[in-house]
Amino acid sequence: MTALRTASIVGVCASAFCSAVLAATTPPISAPIFFPASGTSDLDPTEIVEITGWWTNEREVLYMRDDGAFYFWDQPNRFRAVSKSGRWDHQNYRTFWLEPYFDPKTPGRSPPRVRAAMRRVEGVLMASLEIAKDLRRVESAPTAPEDSYVGRWIGPGGSLQLDGDGTYELHAAANTDPDAPLISRSGHRGTWSCNEQYIFLSTAGPSSERVICTIVDRSDPAPPNSPEPAKTFEALTTPIGELRPAPKDPAAKDPAAKDPAAKDPAASVPAPTVRDPKASPAPR
C-alpha cells in the first residue's frame, strides 16, 4: 500500500515537472503583429500637415481657407449653395474642429462644433467627421458639370467671364443697342450656376436681377471639298448677343480685347477659392 502511494506521488511530481518545462520552452500565444501593406497607416506627430484646401469623398465636399473660414457641401457639386460655413481651428497633429455659423433656420441655438479626426492611408491624408466620413485631401477643386463652361466667352456685343469660384463678370461692348435694358448695356457681375440647358446669372447688389443665358449648339461650315467634318461647339445666347468660347491663342482676334476689365482665360480654371455665401449666395 505504501509502495502504491509512493508511486502515485512520484507520478504527480513528474507530470508537474514536465508541464513546467513545456511552459518555459513554449512561447505564449498572442495576437499577430500587423504590418501595413505600404506607406504609413497613421500620422507622425513631428510631421507638418497641410490641411487647408479641398477635401472630398465623392459624396460631400469641404473647403478650408487659409484665413480660417470653411465651407461644406452635403453633395458633390461645389457650384451649389453651401450646407454649412463657419470657422475652423487646428487642435493638434491629428485633429481639427469646424465651428459653423449660426443657422438662421434655428435662431437662438448655437450649432455644435464638429470634430475631424485625421489619418494617413496609403500615403493619402484623410479625415472623418460626424457629417462626412473618409474625406481625402485633394490638390484641386473637385470637378463639376459647370467646369466645362468656365472661361471667357466673347462676341460682337461684349464678353462674359465665368470663373471657377462661381462668380461672373459681363462687359458690354461700346456699340451695344441703346434700347437694350440698362443691365445689358452697362454690364454687371455676380454669381452663376447652370443646368443642362441654361446658365443663370444672378447679379450682385440690391436688385439681385437674374439673367438667363441659353446653351445652344453651333457649327462652323467646313471648307469646300474638305475631308474634315464641320466643327461643332456650344455657344451662349445672352442679353448682349450670342457669345462663343474665346480662342485659346491670345493673338487671335478678340472683339472684346479692348475691354480693360476682361480677364485672362487661363486664370479661369477651377481654383481653390470659393465665394462667401453670405455676401453672394449661390443661385439655383
Side-chain angles (χ1 to χ4, degrees):
M1 194 69 178
T2 302
L4 289 175
R5 184 177 301 171
T6 303
S8 177
I9 294 173
V10 171
V12 171
C13 293
S15 177
F17 176 78
C18 290
S19 299
V21 171
L22 289 174
T25 58
T26 303
I29 298 175
S30 61
I33 301 175
F34 172 75
F35 293 99
S38 63
T40 305
S41 62
D42 208 343
L43 293 175
D44 183 347
T46 63
E47 179 184 3
I48 300 177
V49 178
E50 180 61 59
I51 65 175
T52 58
W54 293 98
W55 299 72
T56 182
N57 58 6
E58 281 75 48
R59 299 180 302 276
E60 295 97 5
V61 176
L62 171 67
Y63 179 64
M64 299 172 61
R65 292 198 326 199
D66 294 336
D67 61 3
F70 82 86
Y71 302 98
F72 175 77
W73 293 262
D74 60 4
Q75 45 75 38
N77 192 327
R78 71 185 193 280
F79 285 86
R80 301 292 183 261
V82 297
S83 305
K84 295 180 184 294
S85 62
R87 306 285 297 176
W88 65 269
D89 63 87
H90 198 174
Q91 178 179 344
N92 54 44
Y93 73 98
R94 67 191 317 171
T95 304
F96 63 85
W97 291 84
L98 305 182
E99 186 174 346
Y101 291 132
F102 287 97
D103 188 348
K105 298 179 181 179
T106 56
R109 185 192 306 175
S110 177
R113 298 179 73 205
V114 180
R115 180 178 181 271
M118 293 184 292
R119 67 189 189 281
R120 194 181 296 281
V121 178
E122 301 294 328
V124 178
L125 185 63
M126 304 186 71
S128 286
L129 299 75
E130 183 180 354
I131 56 177
K133 305 298 183 184
D134 298 329
L135 294 168
R136 70 181 188 281
R137 187 176 182 274
V138 292
E139 293 301 323
S140 59
T143 58
E146 288 85 346
D147 287 327
S148 60
Y149 300 103
V150 170
R152 191 163 174 230
W153 300 73
I154 59 174
S159 66
L160 172 64
Q161 176 73 32
L162 301 177
D163 285 334
D165 61 358
T167 61
Y168 78 89
E169 291 187 16
L170 184 145
H171 298 277
N175 59 350
T176 301
D177 183 1
D179 295 328
L182 179 62
I183 194 172
S184 300
R185 287 189 280 116
S186 60
H188 47 90
R189 66 182 61 190
T191 59
W192 69 278
S193 64
C194 79
N195 57 22
E196 296 179 355
Q197 188 175 359
Y198 302 103
I199 287 182
F200 305 99
L201 309 179
S202 293
T203 61
S207 62
S208 299
E209 185 172 346
R210 197 181 199 196
V211 178
I212 299 177
C213 304
T214 305
I215 302 169
V216 295
D217 293 325
R218 293 288 186 259
S219 62
D220 286 333
N225 303 322
S226 173
E228 297 294 331
K231 182 181 178 181
T232 60
F233 57 91
E234 288 185 319
L236 300 179
T237 60
T238 74
I240 59 174
E242 186 168 296
L243 304 178
R244 298 185 176 192
K248 301 298 182 182
D249 183 3
K253 185 178 180 180
D254 180 358
K258 296 181 180 180
D259 180 2
K263 298 182 180 179
D264 181 0
S268 64
V269 295
T273 55
V274 294
R275 59 189 175 276
D276 185 343
K278 289 190 171 182
S280 52
R284 288 189 175 275

